[in-house]
Amino acid sequence: MAAQVISGTEVARAIENDLRQQVSELRSKSPHFQPRLAIVQVGGREDSNVYIRMKLKAAENIGIVAEHIRLPRDCTQTELLTKLTYLNESPQVHGIIVQMPLDSEHQIDSHLITDAVFSHKDVDGLNTENEGRVSIGDFSGFVPCTPAGCVELIKRTGVTIAGKNAVVLGRSRIVGTPVAELLKWENATVTVCHSKTKNLSEITKTADILVVAIGRAEMVRGSWIKPGAIVIDCGINPIPDLTKKSKQRLVGDVAYEEAAKVASYITPVPGGVGPLTVAMLMRNTVLAARRQLERQLRP
Ligand code: NDP
C-alpha cells in the first residue's frame, strides 16, 4: 500500500492560523503590542531571497511585523556584529535571525554571528546556549526550526515516538544533530549516521522513523527503508529538468516514488519539511514576543 503523504503545507497552515489567533488575543489585551522579527541578510543569494520571501509572507499573515534588513556583500564581521548589537538592545524587536549562508566578500565566522544574538531573541534556536539546552532536554529556550518541524510532522501522524527506533542521516548543527536530540527526548532510540558511516542502508532498514538531512539528491532508495516506516525528508536539492521554465526542479534526499511504496508515511519535497521550518520560526517569534511582554507586565 502506498504511504500516506504528510503535507507540510497543510500542517504549516494550521499552525499559522493558530498563531494568528494568539497574536490577535495578545493584541486585544495589549493594543500597543506588536510581535516583531528582524531578518538580517548579508548579500543577495537567490535561494536566501526565496526563503526570506516565504518568512515575510508567513509573518504578515500572522500579524508579526517582519523587517528585512539587507546588508551589502562588502559588509564586514564588525559591521554585522554592530547591527546585531543594535537589534539585541532594541526593545521593539522580539526575534532576530541571520539568514545563512552569509554571502559576504569578507571572512565572517558564522558561529560567532549566531552566538551574538541574545538567547532570548534567538528564534532560530542556533546559538550555543539554546543548542545546549535542547541537548539536555531543557525546552525553556528556543528549539531550532527545521528539527522542531520534523518532530511536529512525525507527531501529526499520530504514531507514538517513544520506544521506536529512529535513524537520523546527517549530523549538521542546524538539522541532523538537533533532530537526533529532540527524538532522544521524545524517548526514541536514536542512531545518527554521517558520511563515515558504514553499511548505511543496513542501518536505515532498522528505522521505524527515518529522518534524512544529507543534501544528496535522492540518495536514499526504497530498498533502504523498513516497510511501514515514517520517512521525513529534509533535503532540498535542485536537479536539472528541461521540461521546467527554470530548467530545474527540487527533489529531496529520498527517492520519493520508491520510498512511498514502502513507507507508511512520507513527506514530499517541496511541501514537506520546508513549510514547517517557516511555521516553527513564526511559533518561536510569537513565543519570544509573549515572553518579553510577560516580563514587561510583571510587577
Ligand atoms: P550539511 O551539508 O551541513 O550536512 C550534511 C550532513 O550529511 C553531514 O553530517 C554529512 O556528514 C552527512 N552526509 C553527507 N553526505 C553523506 C553521505 N553520502 N552519507 C551519509 N551522510 C552524508 O547539510 P544540512 O544539514 O544543512 O542540510 C541537509 C539538507 O537539508 C540539505 O539538502 C539542505 O538543503 C536541507 N535543509 C532543509 C531545510 C528546510 O527548511 N527544509 C533547512 C536546512 C537544510 P559529515 O558530518 O560526516 O560531513
Side-chain angles (χ1 to χ4, degrees):
M1 217 173 69
Q4 284 190 48
V5 179
I6 317 171
S7 167
T9 311
E10 276 172 30
V11 174
R13 194 177 301 136
I15 291 169
E16 287 171 16
N17 286 343
D18 177 55
L19 291 172
R20 190 189 315 127
Q21 184 68 31
Q22 284 187 38
V23 170
S24 130
E25 279 165 23
L26 279 172
R27 279 173 61 77
S28 67
K29 285 185 206 140
S30 305
H32 298 297
F33 176 75
Q34 181 81 66
R36 189 177 285 266
L37 170 68
I39 304 175
V40 182
Q41 181 182 21
V42 177
R45 280 174 63 116
E46 194 37 45
D47 55 349
S48 293
N49 293 339
V50 172
Y51 295 136
I52 290 172
R53 274 201 293 278
M54 289 176 188
K55 292 169 187 176
L56 293 171
K57 193 168 159 219
E60 189 185 356
N61 178 30
I62 291 164
I64 296 169
V65 175
E67 186 187 359
H68 181 187
I69 299 159
R70 296 166 194 265
L71 300 175
R73 288 196 73 239
D74 63 4
C75 161
T76 62
Q77 180 165 291
T78 308
E79 285 164 345
L80 178 52
L81 287 170
T82 304
K83 185 52 137 182
L84 293 177
T85 303
Y86 168 77
L87 295 168
N88 276 336
E89 284 167 4
S90 166
Q92 282 80 34
V93 175
H94 303 104
I96 303 169
I97 66 162
V98 182
Q99 186 68 38
M100 296 290 176
L102 300 166
D103 175 22
S104 174
E105 288 166 9
H106 300 284
Q107 190 77 21
I108 300 185
D109 177 348
S110 59
H111 291 166
L112 185 83
I113 296 304
T114 43
D115 275 349
V117 175
F118 279 171
S119 302
H120 67 280
K121 296 192 178 187
D122 171 36
V123 287
D124 251 345
L126 294 180
N127 79 21
T128 308
E129 186 179 324
N130 281 320
E131 280 178 343
R133 284 183 195 279
V134 169
S135 74
I136 57 166
D138 168 356
F139 300 107
S140 62
F142 293 105
V143 176
C145 303
T146 304
C150 292
V151 173
E152 184 74 33
L153 288 172
I154 297 166
K155 286 185 173 170
R156 297 273 168 152
T157 65
V159 172
T160 307
I161 300 176
K164 295 289 186 319
N165 285 335
V167 173
V168 178
L169 298 196
R171 58 176 168 183
S172 74
R173 196 170 165 172
I174 63 163
V175 192
T177 295
V179 165
E181 301 289 2
L182 291 177
L183 289 170
K184 175 180 77 183
W185 292 112
E186 291 290 340
N187 297 316
T189 303
V190 185
T191 306
V192 180
C193 302
H194 45 75
S195 65
K196 307 290 183 294
T197 301
K198 302 256 189 300
N199 304 324
L200 205 54
S201 62
E202 293 305 313
I203 299 171
T204 56
K205 263 186 265 178
T206 66
D208 304 307
I209 297 168
L210 177 63
V211 180
V212 188
I214 50 179
R216 300 275 179 269
E218 300 181 320
M219 192 177 113
V220 175
R221 312 307 307 187
S223 60
W224 294 28
I225 292 166
K226 178 177 176 176
I230 298 174
V231 177
I232 306 291
D233 186 355
C234 301
I236 304 177
N237 309 291
I239 59 163
D241 184 342
L242 297 178
T243 67
K244 302 275 183 224
K245 205 170 139 198
S246 62
K247 304 283 178 258
Q248 62 174 30
R249 69 189 164 93
L250 294 179
V251 296
D253 292 340
V254 176
Y256 182 84
E257 299 297 335
E258 291 177 17
K261 289 186 186 138
V262 189
S264 60
Y265 293 92
I266 189 165
T267 57
V269 177
V273 175
L276 259 288
T277 299
V278 177
M280 293 296 117
L281 173 66
M282 298 302 133
R283 182 182 276 180
N284 278 350
T285 304
V286 173
L287 182 61
R290 183 189 284 281
R291 284 176 181 164
Q292 287 168 58
L293 179 66
E294 280 165 7
R295 263 199 300 274
Q296 278 165 23
L297 297 178
R298 221 172 272 155

